[in-house]
């Protein structure tokens, strides 16, 4: 909501400045036309701005895994990653493989989960709130507390090429 208020305030200031600047040189018809142009420009350009929409962000944390998938891999294999041991690849933009879902589990602390495609979403994960990553979805995570601990479980359809734990996985993506 803070970003929305901030952007509306910026837009309001822009319109007010435009009105004052043109009031003394143009008639009211020209001012109205300029305001309409400003509104159209704002409406066209603002959808590309990365809004934080909490109602849409909740979708990421409450998404359900399809009932037809089964867990095939966990990282780390045992134990958890801490804020200091989370692999750098998870902290930067990465994605899951085709047909692979990820389930981010925080066991302690908080982890910021950012979906980086489509509608930009930022969700704070905790022990009571898991994050679901869809196949090939670009995302990253950031620990928000020093005591954060987490692990990831990967799921695939039965019979999918990643449904086993072979070592020939693509090293640039996880899962």
């Amino acid at each position: 909501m803070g970003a929305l208020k901030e952007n509306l305030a910026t837009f309001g200031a822009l319109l007010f400045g435009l009105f004052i600047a043109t009031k003394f040189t143009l008639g009211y018809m020209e001012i109205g036309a300029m305001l309409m142009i400003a509104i159209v420009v704002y409406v066209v350009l603002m959808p590309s701005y990365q809004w934080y929409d909490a109602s849409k962000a909740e979708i990421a944390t409450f998404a359900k895994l399809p009932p037809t998938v089964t867990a095939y891999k966990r990282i780390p294999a045992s134990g958890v990653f801490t804020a200091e041991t989370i692999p750098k690849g998870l902290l930067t933009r990465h994605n899951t493989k085709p047909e692979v879902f990820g389930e981010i589990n925080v066991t302690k602390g908080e982890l910021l989960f950012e979906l980086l495609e489509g509608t930009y979403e930022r969700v704070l994960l905790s022990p009571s709130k898991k994050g679901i990553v869809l196949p090939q979805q670009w995302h990253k995570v950031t620990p928000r507390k020093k005591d954060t601990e987490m692990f990831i479980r990967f799921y695939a359809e039965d019979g999918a090429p990643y449904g086993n734990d072979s070592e020939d996985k693509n090293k640039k993506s996880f899962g």
Side-chain angles (χ1 to χ4, degrees):
M1 190 65 171
L4 178 60
K5 284 182 182 177
E6 186 177 295
N7 284 298
L8 289 177
T10 302
F11 182 63
L14 171 76
L15 288 179
F16 181 74
L18 184 63
F19 179 76
I20 295 300
T22 59
K23 183 173 186 324
F24 299 107
T25 58
L26 301 173
Y28 286 106
M29 292 294 281
E30 290 87 358
I31 292 170
M34 291 192 73
L35 289 175
M36 289 303 292
I37 291 169
I39 290 170
V40 168
V41 168
Y42 184 79
V43 168
V44 169
L45 293 179
M46 288 315 291
S48 64
Y49 183 80
Q50 301 297 320
W51 291 88
Y52 172 69
D53 184 346
S55 65
K56 290 182 181 173
E58 295 302 315
I59 295 169
T61 57
F62 295 112
K64 303 279 188 227
L65 292 168
T68 56
V69 298
T70 55
Y72 76 90
K73 183 178 180 181
R74 181 188 192 277
I75 60 168
S78 64
V80 293
F81 292 123
T82 65
E84 291 81 31
T85 63
I86 293 176
K88 289 188 189 335
L90 296 177
L91 301 173
T92 60
R93 184 178 187 265
H94 65 282
N95 67 346
T96 50
K97 295 179 180 174
E99 303 178 37
V100 172
F101 292 81
E103 179 185 67
I104 303 170
N105 296 272
V106 176
T107 57
K108 186 177 180 184
E110 295 176 341
L111 189 72
L112 182 63
F113 172 44
E114 296 179 77
L115 296 175
L116 304 173
E117 68 177 5
T119 302
Y120 178 76
E121 299 176 21
R122 297 176 63 167
V123 182
L124 198 58
L125 303 179
S126 65
S128 63
K129 188 184 279 190
K130 294 179 182 182
I132 301 297
V133 183
L134 302 176
Q136 296 185 296
Q137 188 173 43
W138 292 97
H139 62 283
K140 70 177 187 172
V141 298
T142 308
R144 301 307 275 176
K145 294 185 175 183
K146 290 183 181 187
D147 68 345
T148 298
E149 295 178 349
M150 56 86 71
F151 68 93
I152 303 170
R153 192 169 281 128
F154 294 100
Y155 294 81
E157 296 279 343
D158 293 334
Y162 308 110
N164 57 45
D165 204 9
S166 64
E167 292 300 318
D168 59 341
K169 306 266 191 252
N170 177 352
K171 302 220 184 266
K172 294 202 182 226
S173 63
F174 288 87

